[in-house]
Amino acid sequence: MERLKVTLGHLSVRGDEDTPNKGREFVQCAGRLKRFPDSPDDVVIISALRTPIGKSRRGGFKDTFTDDMLAAVFKATLEKTKLRPEDIGDICVGNVGDPRASVSGRAAQFYSGIPDTVPVMSVNRQCSSGLQAVMNVAGSIKVGQTLLGIGAGVESMTMHRGQELDIPINPKMFENDKARDTLIPMGMTSENVAERFGVSREKQDRFALASQERAARAQKSGAFDEEIVAVTTTVKDKDGNEKSVTVSKDEGIRPTTLETLLKLRPAFKEGGSTTAGNSSQVSDGAAAVLLARRSEANRRSLPVFGVLRGYAVAGCPPDIMGIGPAVAIPELLKKTGLTVADIEIFEINEAFASQAAYCVEKLGIPHEKVNPLGGAIALGHPLGCTGARQIATLLHELKRRGKRAYGVVSMCMGTGMGAAALIEYPGPS
């Protein structure tokens, strides 16, 4: 048996004194999945839930505020785990477009019965905001600030899409090439990736078709049911009349064919290859992940749903921001001593088929391991919610497979970055 030592980045807690970056040991047995030893100090996931993902501006959440969507997943988390609201030690909410995100998070906790003694904060790390919120709470647990907390994400692209256009731009940005490139519209960065790395229109559309087909099968089989919290809300018709609706299923999944996708016109550039059919859908939704120190979970007899084993963030050129997963995932695997072969599922956000397809091929990931239940092209991409939503989808799918396994959640980010987290499903209890 060979023993290897690796650093778990933000989650590392111990190691030999002569090791520059103290790390945790894991054990590799010939022919077996590498295993990290469990520790009372591990950050574990107790619950991961989400709302359905609604179509922006025309779906079931088009008239629903971000604090109401958040409250739905906060309440469901408390109900599922039987925790008292005052037991929550900290809350972090990922969001991109809501200028009052911290206020919305605070209001949502009050709607959920979580008292004012529980602190809340918000974080904006572009498309990884939901994942970063989870990691912020994990960091708070790791350093002993709290024993138990919620990392969440929410976005109403109906209400807050395009708000950044009202903010003045510093003229100095146009004097620096990299700074200027952070202003490139996301659709054009997709075109840059497709052109620079030779991702054909047909390859993008085939990737998009697979996302829709997998999501449709998953929805039909009920694969999303355990992770979704049905939300009763109010919608207005064109005349302003209100009616109550219950949203229980993702709204972006639609029947399609390759022929239909190939007929769509480019959405961002004449003669381009990025279309509405091979891009993520603008959406509304929320998700919440409950985390705890393992010792605290054991003390409370809370079942361990997942274990955070590593995290990495890396930068890339802003004009090809979509390659983020291709730089973040290798950094994560390097930190944790794992390989692509060790990972059961990769949840890679499909901001655009161009970048997702490129990252998958660049990293040599078998297609069957990537987004087995579909991704953002089919489900939608509520920016601040996505990272937390991916954790819910990943862990519930690993649970269905019924064995201890590793999964990776990863995404690209506007301005040129990628993030990736390694999560272990510990197997049936």
Side-chain angles (χ1 to χ4, degrees):
M1 181 181 294
E2 180 186 8
R3 300 186 70 84
L4 302 173
K5 293 182 180 179
V6 298
T7 301
L8 287 181
H10 296 166
L11 300 183
S12 63
V13 295
R14 67 172 184 266
D16 295 337
E17 291 299 323
D18 58 354
T19 304
N21 294 310
K22 295 182 181 181
R24 185 194 303 277
E25 291 184 345
F26 69 83
V27 179
Q28 179 183 12
C29 302
R32 294 184 185 177
L33 188 66
K34 298 172 184 176
R35 178 155 193 165
F36 300 90
D38 292 339
S39 163
D41 293 329
D42 288 337
V43 178
V44 299
I45 295 170
I46 306 303
S47 168
L49 300 171
R50 67 177 180 93
T51 68
I53 301 176
K55 292 182 179 179
S56 177
R57 299 186 179 180
R58 53 199 176 96
F61 293 140
K62 70 180 183 68
D63 300 308
T64 303
F65 291 93
T66 53
D67 45 0
D68 286 325
M69 287 190 285
L70 272 177
V73 289
F74 286 173
K75 289 177 182 177
T77 298
L78 292 170
E79 291 170 1
K80 179 179 180 179
T81 59
K82 310 301 182 187
L83 284 173
R84 299 178 303 171
E86 59 269 27
D87 290 341
I88 304 299
D90 200 2
I91 299 171
C92 185
V93 177
N95 180 267
V96 177
D98 185 353
R100 299 183 302 275
S102 292
V103 175
S104 298
R106 190 70 164 157
Q109 78 172 86
F110 296 152
Y111 303 159
S112 309
I114 300 174
D116 58 13
T117 53
V118 177
V120 66
M121 59 179 163
S122 64
V123 62
N124 179 354
R125 203 166 200 171
Q126 300 294 309
C127 297
S128 76
S129 296
L131 176 59
Q132 187 63 56
V134 171
M135 298 312 301
N136 282 4
V137 173
S140 295
I141 292 170
K142 185 56 71 175
V143 301
Q145 182 237 318
T146 188
L147 295 174
L148 189 147
I150 293 176
V154 66
E155 202 75 46
S156 172
M157 297 183 78
T158 297
M159 295 190 180
H160 303 125
R161 186 181 177 195
Q163 190 143 10
E164 71 278 359
L165 298 179
D166 297 330
I167 301 174
I169 296 174
N170 187 342
K172 287 178 63 177
M173 293 188 70
F174 299 97
E175 300 171 7
N176 182 291
D177 290 345
K178 292 296 183 183
R180 185 184 62 242
D181 285 350
T182 64
L183 301 175
I184 297 174
M186 294 298 98
M188 288 305 299
T189 67
S190 172
E191 293 288 2
N192 290 343
V193 170
E195 292 175 11
R196 200 164 304 178
F197 301 108
V199 186
S200 69
R201 168 68 184 271
E202 182 174 346
K203 182 175 291 186
Q204 294 174 59
D205 285 347
R206 287 188 181 279
F207 190 98
L209 179 63
S211 182
Q212 288 286 354
E213 290 178 338
R214 290 176 178 184
R217 286 196 298 269
Q219 188 175 74
K220 185 177 180 180
S221 70
F224 296 125
D225 292 354
E226 282 193 45
E227 70 192 66
I228 285 181
V229 176
V231 180
T232 299
T233 187
T234 300
V235 295
K236 298 177 183 177
D237 63 20
K238 61 181 180 179
D239 299 318
N241 300 311
E242 296 184 351
K243 69 173 181 178
S244 178
V245 299
T246 297
V247 184
S248 60
K249 293 186 179 296
D250 298 315
E251 297 176 342
I253 303 170
R254 56 188 183 271
T256 190
T257 64
L258 181 61
E259 291 71 26
T260 300
L261 290 169
L262 289 168
K263 290 177 182 177
L264 295 176
R265 295 181 178 180
F268 303 101
K269 175 183 177 181
E270 186 175 350
S273 59
T274 301
T275 72
N278 59 35
S279 304
S280 59
Q281 300 179 45
V282 291
S283 311
D284 308 324
V289 179
L290 178 68
L291 304 111
R293 190 182 298 273
R294 186 190 291 274
S295 58
E296 182 68 6
N298 291 341
R299 187 182 74 82
R300 293 175 176 271
S301 298
L302 294 170
V304 174
F305 192 24
V307 187
L308 286 174
R309 293 300 190 187
Y311 181 52
V313 183
C316 62
D319 64 328
I320 50 172
M321 67 92 202
I323 71 168
V327 296
I329 291 174
E331 183 68 17
L332 174 71
L333 296 178
K334 178 182 176 182
K335 285 182 174 183
T336 56
L338 301 181
T339 68
V340 166
D342 294 315
I343 309 302
E344 180 82 6
I345 296 173
F346 288 84
E347 281 288 330
I348 298 178
N349 187 43
E350 300 166 356
F352 301 95
S354 62
Q355 55 82 210
Y358 165 78
C359 291
V360 170
E361 291 194 2
K362 176 68 175 178
L363 299 174
I365 304 173
H367 284 270
E368 63 271 15
K369 286 189 173 187
V370 180
N371 302 345
L373 306 185
I377 289 172
L379 299 174
H381 176 25
L383 305 177
C385 165
T386 289
R389 190 282 299 171
Q390 288 177 293
I391 292 174
T393 301
L394 171 70
L395 280 174
H396 283 89
E397 175 60 17
L398 290 176
K399 178 184 176 182
R400 273 187 294 275
R401 298 189 180 193
K403 61 181 181 180
R404 188 179 67 83
Y406 296 123
V408 167
V409 167
S410 184
M411 69 286 293
C412 61
M413 297 176 244
T415 74
M417 291 177 282
L422 177 68
I423 300 172
E424 178 186 354
Y425 174 67
S429 56

